[in-house]
mmCIF file of all heavy atoms in Angstrom:
data_model
loop_
_atom_site.group_PDB
_atom_site.id
_atom_site.type_symbol
_atom_site.label_atom_id
_atom_site.label_comp_id
_atom_site.label_asym_id
_atom_site.label_seq_id
_atom_site.Cartn_x
_atom_site.Cartn_y
_atom_site.Cartn_z
ATOM 1 N N ARG A 133 3.723 11.609 -17.641
ATOM 2 C CA ARG A 133 2.717 11.884 -18.675
ATOM 3 C C ARG A 133 3.374 12.286 -19.991
ATOM 4 O O ARG A 133 2.873 11.948 -21.071
ATOM 5 C CB ARG A 133 1.774 12.996 -18.203
ATOM 6 C CG ARG A 133 0.862 12.568 -17.069
ATOM 7 C CD ARG A 133 -0.255 13.572 -16.846
ATOM 8 N NE ARG A 133 -0.981 13.263 -15.615
ATOM 9 C CZ ARG A 133 -0.850 13.930 -14.486
ATOM 10 N NH1 ARG A 133 -0.016 14.964 -14.411
ATOM 11 N NH2 ARG A 133 -1.549 13.588 -13.417
ATOM 12 N N GLN A 134 4.473 13.005 -19.923
ATOM 13 C CA GLN A 134 5.179 13.384 -21.141
ATOM 14 C C GLN A 134 5.683 12.161 -21.901
ATOM 15 O O GLN A 134 5.881 12.225 -23.119
ATOM 16 C CB GLN A 134 6.357 14.303 -20.795
ATOM 17 C CG GLN A 134 5.930 15.685 -20.305
ATOM 18 C CD GLN A 134 7.095 16.496 -19.764
ATOM 19 O OE1 GLN A 134 8.197 15.968 -19.507
ATOM 20 N NE2 GLN A 134 6.875 17.782 -19.556
ATOM 21 N N HIS A 135 5.878 11.058 -21.189
ATOM 22 C CA HIS A 135 6.340 9.813 -21.805
ATOM 23 C C HIS A 135 5.200 8.814 -22.015
ATOM 24 O O HIS A 135 5.442 7.647 -22.334
ATOM 25 C CB HIS A 135 7.427 9.165 -20.936
ATOM 26 C CG HIS A 135 8.735 9.907 -20.957
ATOM 27 N ND1 HIS A 135 8.946 11.062 -20.224
ATOM 28 C CD2 HIS A 135 9.897 9.671 -21.632
ATOM 29 C CE1 HIS A 135 10.171 11.487 -20.425
ATOM 30 N NE2 HIS A 135 10.773 10.681 -21.275
ATOM 31 N N GLY A 136 3.955 9.263 -21.803
ATOM 32 C CA GLY A 136 2.809 8.411 -22.063
ATOM 33 C C GLY A 136 2.419 7.488 -20.926
ATOM 34 O O GLY A 136 1.646 6.546 -21.131
ATOM 35 N N HIS A 137 2.926 7.743 -19.717
ATOM 36 C CA HIS A 137 2.611 6.906 -18.558
ATOM 37 C C HIS A 137 1.780 7.690 -17.540
ATOM 38 O O HIS A 137 1.608 8.896 -17.657
ATOM 39 C CB HIS A 137 3.901 6.406 -17.897
ATOM 40 C CG HIS A 137 4.858 5.745 -18.840
ATOM 41 N ND1 HIS A 137 4.558 4.578 -19.495
ATOM 42 C CD2 HIS A 137 6.122 6.102 -19.246
ATOM 43 C CE1 HIS A 137 5.580 4.219 -20.257
ATOM 44 N NE2 HIS A 137 6.528 5.131 -20.126
ATOM 45 N N GLU A 138 1.299 6.992 -16.538
ATOM 46 C CA GLU A 138 0.528 7.626 -15.472
ATOM 47 C C GLU A 138 1.023 7.117 -14.122
ATOM 48 O O GLU A 138 1.306 5.927 -13.967
ATOM 49 C CB GLU A 138 -0.958 7.297 -15.638
ATOM 50 C CG GLU A 138 -1.880 8.126 -14.763
ATOM 51 C CD GLU A 138 -1.995 9.576 -15.237
ATOM 52 O OE1 GLU A 138 -1.753 9.842 -16.434
ATOM 53 O OE2 GLU A 138 -2.325 10.435 -14.387
ATOM 54 N N VAL A 139 1.126 8.028 -13.155
ATOM 55 C CA VAL A 139 1.550 7.675 -11.795
ATOM 56 C C VAL A 139 0.318 7.540 -10.910
ATOM 57 O O VAL A 139 -0.570 8.396 -10.923
ATOM 58 C CB VAL A 139 2.512 8.732 -11.215
ATOM 59 C CG1 VAL A 139 2.795 8.429 -9.740
ATOM 60 C CG2 VAL A 139 3.811 8.772 -12.001
ATOM 61 N N ILE A 140 0.269 6.461 -10.144
ATOM 62 C CA ILE A 140 -0.778 6.257 -9.148
ATOM 63 C C ILE A 140 -0.102 6.076 -7.796
ATOM 64 O O ILE A 140 0.821 5.273 -7.667
ATOM 65 C CB ILE A 140 -1.641 5.021 -9.472
ATOM 66 C CG1 ILE A 140 -2.350 5.203 -10.812
ATOM 67 C CG2 ILE A 140 -2.656 4.767 -8.359
ATOM 68 C CD1 ILE A 140 -3.158 3.994 -11.226
ATOM 69 N N ARG A 141 -0.582 6.823 -6.799
ATOM 70 C CA ARG A 141 0.010 6.723 -5.464
ATOM 71 C C ARG A 141 -0.938 5.985 -4.513
ATOM 72 O O ARG A 141 -2.130 6.287 -4.477
ATOM 73 C CB ARG A 141 0.336 8.112 -4.915
ATOM 74 C CG ARG A 141 1.540 8.729 -5.618
ATOM 75 C CD ARG A 141 1.898 10.095 -5.052
ATOM 76 N NE ARG A 141 3.151 10.541 -5.637
ATOM 77 C CZ ARG A 141 3.268 11.051 -6.871
ATOM 78 N NH1 ARG A 141 2.186 11.180 -7.600
ATOM 79 N NH2 ARG A 141 4.437 11.415 -7.341
ATOM 80 N N THR A 142 -0.375 5.062 -3.767
ATOM 81 C CA THR A 142 -1.178 4.330 -2.801
ATOM 82 C C THR A 142 -1.451 5.210 -1.582
ATOM 83 O O THR A 142 -0.716 6.156 -1.309
ATOM 84 C CB THR A 142 -0.453 3.053 -2.355
ATOM 85 O OG1 THR A 142 0.875 3.388 -1.924
ATOM 86 C CG2 THR A 142 -0.359 2.063 -3.509
ATOM 87 N N PRO A 143 -2.518 4.915 -0.833
ATOM 88 C CA PRO A 143 -2.803 5.696 0.379
ATOM 89 C C PRO A 143 -1.662 5.570 1.389
ATOM 90 O O PRO A 143 -0.944 4.561 1.403
ATOM 91 C CB PRO A 143 -4.086 5.050 0.922
ATOM 92 C CG PRO A 143 -4.673 4.310 -0.233
ATOM 93 C CD PRO A 143 -3.521 3.872 -1.076
ATOM 94 N N PRO A 144 -1.468 6.581 2.222
ATOM 95 C CA PRO A 144 -0.421 6.503 3.246
ATOM 96 C C PRO A 144 -0.619 5.295 4.164
ATOM 97 O O PRO A 144 -1.751 4.919 4.471
ATOM 98 C CB PRO A 144 -0.579 7.819 4.013
ATOM 99 C CG PRO A 144 -1.279 8.743 3.062
ATOM 100 C CD PRO A 144 -2.178 7.866 2.243
ATOM 101 N N TYR A 145 0.492 4.713 4.575
ATOM 102 C CA TYR A 145 0.511 3.622 5.557
ATOM 103 C C TYR A 145 -0.202 2.355 5.061
ATOM 104 O O TYR A 145 -0.839 1.656 5.829
ATOM 105 C CB TYR A 145 -0.103 4.085 6.896
ATOM 106 C CG TYR A 145 0.442 5.400 7.375
ATOM 107 C CD1 TYR A 145 -0.364 6.534 7.445
ATOM 108 C CD2 TYR A 145 1.794 5.532 7.722
ATOM 109 C CE1 TYR A 145 0.148 7.753 7.859
ATOM 110 C CE2 TYR A 145 2.312 6.749 8.138
ATOM 111 C CZ TYR A 145 1.495 7.847 8.211
ATOM 112 O OH TYR A 145 2.008 9.053 8.620
ATOM 113 N N HIS A 146 -0.085 2.077 3.771
ATOM 114 C CA HIS A 146 -0.652 0.846 3.222
ATOM 115 C C HIS A 146 0.392 0.123 2.366
ATOM 116 O O HIS A 146 0.226 -0.024 1.151
ATOM 117 C CB HIS A 146 -1.904 1.135 2.399
ATOM 118 C CG HIS A 146 -3.129 1.333 3.223
ATOM 119 N ND1 HIS A 146 -3.792 0.282 3.834
ATOM 120 C CD2 HIS A 146 -3.801 2.455 3.562
ATOM 121 C CE1 HIS A 146 -4.834 0.761 4.504
ATOM 122 N NE2 HIS A 146 -4.854 2.067 4.360
ATOM 123 N N PRO A 147 1.466 -0.376 2.990
ATOM 124 C CA PRO A 147 2.496 -1.085 2.215
ATOM 125 C C PRO A 147 1.966 -2.368 1.578
ATOM 126 O O PRO A 147 2.562 -2.871 0.630
ATOM 127 C CB PRO A 147 3.575 -1.390 3.262
ATOM 128 C CG PRO A 147 2.862 -1.360 4.575
ATOM 129 C CD PRO A 147 1.798 -0.308 4.426
ATOM 130 N N GLU A 148 0.836 -2.899 2.097
ATOM 131 C CA GLU A 148 0.282 -4.120 1.515
ATOM 132 C C GLU A 148 -0.244 -3.885 0.100
ATOM 133 O O GLU A 148 -0.525 -4.836 -0.628
ATOM 134 C CB GLU A 148 -0.829 -4.683 2.406
ATOM 135 C CG GLU A 148 -2.115 -3.895 2.427
ATOM 136 C CD GLU A 148 -2.114 -2.760 3.439
ATOM 137 O OE1 GLU A 148 -1.015 -2.336 3.852
ATOM 138 O OE2 GLU A 148 -3.203 -2.293 3.815
ATOM 139 N N LEU A 149 -0.369 -2.607 -0.309
ATOM 140 C CA LEU A 149 -0.804 -2.289 -1.662
ATOM 141 C C LEU A 149 0.378 -2.050 -2.596
ATOM 142 O O LEU A 149 0.184 -1.680 -3.752
ATOM 143 C CB LEU A 149 -1.708 -1.054 -1.641
ATOM 144 C CG LEU A 149 -3.007 -1.188 -0.831
ATOM 145 C CD1 LEU A 149 -3.789 0.110 -0.846
ATOM 146 C CD2 LEU A 149 -3.850 -2.340 -1.355
ATOM 147 N N GLN A 150 1.581 -2.246 -2.090
ATOM 148 C CA GLN A 150 2.796 -2.031 -2.870
ATOM 149 C C GLN A 150 3.473 -3.376 -3.155
ATOM 150 O O GLN A 150 4.135 -3.934 -2.273
ATOM 151 C CB GLN A 150 3.770 -1.126 -2.099
ATOM 152 C CG GLN A 150 3.399 0.337 -2.082
ATOM 153 C CD GLN A 150 3.701 1.018 -3.409
ATOM 154 O OE1 GLN A 150 4.399 0.459 -4.249
ATOM 155 N NE2 GLN A 150 3.174 2.199 -3.595
#
Side-chain angles (χ1 to χ4, degrees):
R133 290 193 190 104
Q134 291 171 346
H135 289 78
H137 308 296
E138 192 72 24
V139 173
I140 298 177
R141 287 182 172 78
T142 52
Y145 312 114
H146 280 285
E148 71 274 20
L149 299 178
Q150 285 284 347

